Structures are given as structure tokens and as C-alpha cells.
Amino acid sequence: MNGTRSDEAWWKNAVVYQIYPRSFADANGDGVGDIPGMLAHLDHVRDLGADTVWVSPIFRSPMADAGYDISDHCDVDPLFGTLDDAQRLIDEAHARGLRVLLDFVPNHTSDRHPWFLDARSSRASPRRDWYIWRDEPNDWRAALGAGSAWTWDEQTGQYYLHFFLPQQPDLNWRNPEVVEAMHGVLRFWLDRGVDGFRIDVAHCIGKDPTFSDHPRCLAGEPLVDFNDQPYSHEVLRGIRRLVDSYPGQRVLVGEVNIRSTASIVQYYGAGDELHMSFNFPPLDAPWDPVVFRTCIREVDALLRPADAWPTWVLSNHDNVRHRTRYDGSLRRARAAAILLLSLRGTPFLFQGEELGLEDARIDPRRQVDPGGRDGCRAPLPWKEAPPHGWTGATPWLPFPPDPARQAAERQWADQGSILHLYRQALALRRASPALRLGDWEELESPPEVLAFRRRRSDDVRLVCVNFAAQPRRFAPPGNWRIALCSDGQAPGTAFGGELAGDHAVMLEPGD
Ligand code: GLC
């Protein structure tokens, strides 16, 4: 299954599909998604044409942060199933040719994790130093609206550090016992056959050892947005050595949640840290040619010389879905699918974007997430008829708008749906070395049109995206025919240079 030459690395050829367990599919009727639900719908992912799933946390958790607060890394939360279910998921995915990445959350545990319960039991606890304690807080601010990053522990009379909620105390990775314990977690899952990990807030692991105040925190920004310490790199190198010691190519994808492409390059190290890092500027980007052009040029200019393989993400479980960001426009979501799946780098799809889902509108009384991220976490509508494949209890969040029309069942039956557009784009990508691995070169085009060439040996594709709402003309030199377009023209017809508004075409050489 695994290639050997570095340009054949499976993860460079991969298309990753993010499963958010609570909202993907519910098999036991309690209104929350679970692993048996994932098993029942793995064929959807395979038929779509993605080849890797990244599963957000399924581990034991009090769910203060929807599973990103882990109380046992080596067991599955009963909400989602059992350890046997997790093994079945790994095995059944593999049987379908899908690889599996799990979420690894190194920065913090739950405050109910036995390690933290032990650490906070007394200053003399052998695990006291597994977390970060101070007599006086500094001005560091936590994310998720949690205010100060320090919480007072009454019993032992010190503050502990948490970059997120007080229920998520930060681990002290400078303690070798923590390193060993967390390496044990990685081994536990690697031994069960996972193909790698998505590393949660990888840039947060190392802390400023001087604990200096920071003006950006004083100005109200959480430290998570810019923490960038050398020690994180040392930790990542240790994790990389560990995964490299396993057979096959196990992969590390880091969430480096700094909105700076220049900074994320560092997290690839000298090929000895992350295999891939997320690069989030496109995740915030509006439907705007200047913003996209800048993001894409930056990636090419900064990552390619460093031999750092890019990733592309338009939506995930922490941010407003891109269709919603593009004013709810399905035309734009369709054009964006062609753009996303023809860039140089590994694309990450967030469950439901292939259905063109928008964020759900959440009544404040049904709000669950303290960070206000419920909208993008709404359940996936599988069936056209209510309750859309979610039998039993009311789902934990309301459905996104128009669930009957957006339902997977209905879109599989409609060749013109956005689901089939994704499927076709993925099939073309799989068949074309240029689209998967080729060079990226921008073409001179009108300002509202982004046009680029992908080339690998004699395999060539052109992609033109018109960000304007009105038609634009752009006829690239040479003879081109349409391989896929976001709306309208049939594949196989000659491309005459007409681009409808909010429209994208993928072109292949004509006769
Ligand atoms: C990451 C996750 C997010 C979580 C946070 C704390 O940013 O994507 O969902 O709240 O880390 O673990």
C-alpha cells in the first residue's frame, strides 16, 4: 500500500475526509454520532473518492470541549462506542482502502484525567510537575472565551495553566515522564494500526520558560493564536522519531493554528518534524480573488523552497463553513470545490462540505460549545425524509438549513449535485499525476480570474476560477477542452474562454 520514493508518499497523494464523531452518523439512536454510525457510512467516504479519514477525538472525555478534553487516551468514550468498535473502524476502513488518522491532543488533558487528579491532590504528588503551576499568574489569556489562562487551585494554593478552558490543564512536556506517557499513547494507537495523527494545537506544546507577560494578551488575544516556542519543535522531533520507527509510512499532520504561512514552515523542521502542517489563512478567507491569490502564492513561495508539502482546508469543526462564509452561495461552493481539489498539496475535506452544507442556525438556548462553534458541527443529513437518518432522540444540534434537499441520499441520486461534482473532481485528481503532484504555475489573467497550470512530465491541467459574480473572458493560449466545470458546460467540449460568474473550470489539453 505504501510507496517508497518520497514523491510517492501516500500522504502527498491523499485526500483526507474529516469525521466529526458527534455529528457524522448515529447508530444507537441517542442523538449523538458514534463509531457504529461511522462504520455504516464508510462507503460514502470511499464512494466519494477520499482515501483517508481523520477522526476527531473519540476518547474518554467529560466533554467540556466536545472530546478535546481527554480523561483516558487509551479508551473510547461510551458515547461513541468501545475500544473494539475503534478497532473495527480501523480494520473496516483499511478493508476499503481508506487510511485512518486519529486526533492526538498533546497540549492538555481533562481536569478529570487521573494524571491531573493526582497532580492536584497535593504539592508533593509525584505527578505535580506533569502540569504547570505558579504562585502568581501572568497576563496570558486562554482561548474559548475563558479569560485568564490561570486557574486557582484552592486545595494546593497555586494556579495551574490552561491555554483553553479551566477543564483543560496544560501538560508540562519538559518533564520526561510526560513525554514517555504521551509517547505511550501514540504507541497504543500505532500498535492498533492507525496510519497517523492529526496533532491538536501542535504549536502550543512548548511554553515560554520565562512566563513573561505578552502585550497581545494584554490587548485581549488568547496566547493560542501566536504561541510559537522552540521547545515545541524538540517535542515534535521526538514524536516524529517514534512514528518513523513503525513500519509503513505513519504520518503527522499538525494543527499549527497561527495565521501565518511563514511561521508554519518551521514546523516541518528539516523533514524531521511534521509531515504536513495545516495552513489556515484560506479557512478565514472570503470569496475574494485577491485574498486567495495571496494565500496560494505565499504557499508556493514559502513552502516549496523548504520542501514542505502543503495542505488545503476550507472548512473544519472550529470555523464557519465556507459556503456560509461565501454568503450561502452554492455556485461559489461548487467553484471552490474545483479550486480546492486542484491545488498543489493535500486537501482536507470537512464532513458535509461535499453536500454543500451551510452552518446551522443555533438558537442560544440550544448552544453547546463555549467557543460558539456549534453552527459548523450540525449533524449530517443522510436521508431526505425527516429525521434524515437520525432515528430516536433529537440530534444534539439542529440540522443545517434545507436538510431534505442537502441529504446525501438525494444527492447521490442526482448526477448534477455538488456531491457528484466533488466525486468527479476527486476521480480526475486521482487519475492525473499533474493534479496530485505536479508543479503549480500561475497564468496571467484578468484580476477577478485566478488561473493556474499544473504540470507533471507530459500531464498538464489548467484551472480557471472566476471570482466575479458576472461573466469574464479568459482564453488561455493553446487548445483546451473542459474536463470538469462547476456549472453548465459538458465535459469534453472545447473551452472558448467564457467563464460564467462564480464559476470554475478544469481544463485538459484539446486535440
Ligand atoms: C483545537 C481543536 C479545537 C479545540 C482546541 C483545544 O483547536 O481543533 O476544537 O477546542 O484545539 O483542544
Side-chain angles (χ1 to χ4, degrees):
M1 219 156 151
N2 296 316
T4 42
R5 285 210 337 259
S6 72
D7 61 350
E8 289 173 353
W10 68 263
W11 42 273
K12 291 188 177 178
N13 289 279
V15 175
V16 185
Y17 183 98
Q18 181 190 356
I19 292 181
Y20 191 69
R22 301 176 75 89
S23 309
F24 185 65
D26 176 21
N28 68 1
D30 67 353
V32 180
D34 46 42
I35 299 176
M38 293 176 209
L39 287 164
H41 291 281
L42 273 184
D43 288 349
H44 170 86
V45 180
R46 182 202 53 199
D47 296 348
L48 173 67
D51 46 63
T52 304
V53 290
W54 149 35
V55 186
S56 286
I58 50 173
F59 318 108
R60 264 191 199 268
S61 165
M63 302 286 165
D65 184 16
Y68 282 95
D69 49 319
I70 298 171
S71 55
D72 185 348
H73 300 86
C74 300
D75 198 6
V76 169
D77 196 275
L79 197 57
F80 301 131
T82 63
L83 207 45
D84 284 346
D85 290 332
Q87 188 64 58
R88 266 203 301 146
L89 178 65
I90 296 166
D91 297 342
E92 298 242 342
H94 285 169
R96 287 168 177 76
L98 299 169
R99 290 190 163 84
V100 180
L101 309 181
L102 293 186
D103 228 300
F104 177 60
V105 184
N107 181 65
H108 46 268
T109 66
S110 162
D111 63 342
R112 313 255 192 93
H113 196 295
W115 300 343
F116 188 69
L117 294 178
D118 192 2
R120 84 183 311 178
S121 65
S122 123
R123 286 202 192 193
S125 157
R127 288 211 181 86
R128 181 70 173 179
D129 183 53
W130 284 36
Y131 294 83
I132 299 166
W133 302 90
R134 305 269 295 171
D135 293 333
E136 294 294 333
N138 61 11
D139 72 2
W140 291 358
R141 290 185 71 80
L144 307 180
S148 170
W150 298 93
T151 288
W152 175 249
D153 179 55
E154 195 61 55
Q155 191 180 323
T156 56
Q158 276 188 314
Y159 293 86
Y160 65 87
L161 179 67
H162 52 88
F163 273 18
F164 292 89
L165 300 173
Q167 296 95 322
Q168 295 168 292
D170 283 25
L171 282 164
N172 175 18
W173 277 80
R174 289 184 194 266
N175 182 326
E177 289 171 14
V178 168
V179 176
E180 194 41 46
M182 291 300 273
H183 280 196
V185 171
L186 293 165
R187 281 195 211 96
F188 179 87
W189 289 105
L190 288 165
D191 289 340
R192 278 160 182 74
V194 301
D195 300 284
F197 302 94
R198 174 266 191 190
I199 304 186
D200 194 64
V201 289
H203 62 298
C204 291
I205 300 170
K207 316 291 196 248
D208 175 358
T210 68
F211 294 95
S212 306
D213 283 342
H214 201 292
R216 285 180 67 174
C217 285
L218 206 58
E221 283 183 71
L223 195 55
V224 173
D225 290 357
F226 52 90
N227 189 76
D228 190 12
Q229 290 289 320
Y231 191 65
S232 298
H233 298 278
E234 191 173 324
V235 171
L236 290 174
R237 283 192 291 274
I239 293 176
R240 176 65 179 264
R241 280 193 296 276
L242 187 150
V243 297
D244 280 353
S245 73
Y246 274 76
Q249 299 172 19
R250 316 289 174 109
V251 72
L252 300 175
V253 189
E255 184 203 16
V256 181
N257 204 346
I258 306 177
R259 277 5 188 208
S260 151
T261 305
S263 305
I264 68 141
V265 178
Q266 309 306 321
Y267 286 80
Y268 291 77
D272 57 355
E273 295 185 28
L274 300 173
H275 295 83
M276 295 183 275
S277 170
F278 288 137
N279 174 49
F280 284 151
L283 190 58
D284 298 324
W287 185 245
D288 181 314
V290 177
V291 178
F292 267 96
R293 193 172 266 125
T294 308
C295 288
I296 298 167
R297 280 182 187 167
E298 241 180 25
V299 166
D300 198 60
L302 297 169
L303 269 67
R304 198 164 37 82
D307 204 17
W309 185 251
T311 62
W312 296 98
V313 189
L314 297 180
S315 288
N316 69 13
H317 66 292
D318 289 331
N319 294 273
V320 173
R321 282 184 178 275
H322 62 274
R323 177 169 170 193
T324 304
R325 279 202 323 275
Y326 305 160
D327 301 324
S329 163
L330 182 59
R331 283 186 72 80
R332 291 175 175 178
R334 292 178 65 105
I338 293 189
L339 172 62
L340 171 71
L341 297 174
S342 53
L343 287 168
R344 179 177 175 273
T346 298
F348 284 72
L349 311 180
F350 177 46
Q351 63 177 38
E353 73 173 76
E354 78 282 16
L355 304 176
L357 297 187
E358 295 177 75
D359 272 24
R361 290 171 205 120
I362 312 285
D363 182 300
R365 279 167 308 185
R366 285 197 69 180
Q367 197 176 319
V368 177
D369 178 42
R373 300 164 293 183
D374 291 330
C376 61
R377 299 177 176 182
L380 252 60
W382 291 101
K383 295 210 180 312
E384 192 169 345
H388 309 300
W390 289 68
T391 49
T394 311
W396 72 291
L397 283 176
F399 286 102
D402 226 352
R405 198 195 309 227
Q406 304 299 125
E409 176 190 50
R410 176 154 164 182
Q411 296 203 42
W412 277 118
D414 171 8
Q415 288 293 325
S417 65
I418 186 170
L419 175 60
H420 277 287
L421 181 73
Y422 267 87
R423 183 188 58 72
Q424 288 164 330
L426 285 164
L428 289 168
R429 183 181 175 95
R430 193 168 337 108
S432 164
L435 287 173
R436 282 182 284 113
L437 299 164
D439 294 339
W440 178 89
E441 189 193 339
E442 196 175 342
L443 304 179
E444 214 175 301
S445 60
E448 285 149 316
V449 175
L450 173 70
F452 54 87
R453 178 190 295 120
R454 300 293 313 280
R455 182 203 297 271
R456 177 141 166 127
S457 310
D458 55 359
D459 187 38
V460 186
R461 297 288 182 278
L462 293 195
V463 175
C464 311
V465 186
N466 178 15
F467 285 84
Q470 302 75 28
R472 291 285 179 271
R473 248 199 86 70
F474 172 63
N479 219 349
W480 299 94
R481 66 168 179 253
I482 293 174
L484 186 65
C485 74
S486 59
D487 270 302
Q489 289 140 297
T493 53
F495 181 62
E498 299 303 330
L499 288 165
D502 294 327
H503 184 75
V505 289
M506 185 192 290
L507 305 173
E508 58 195 9
D511 303 321

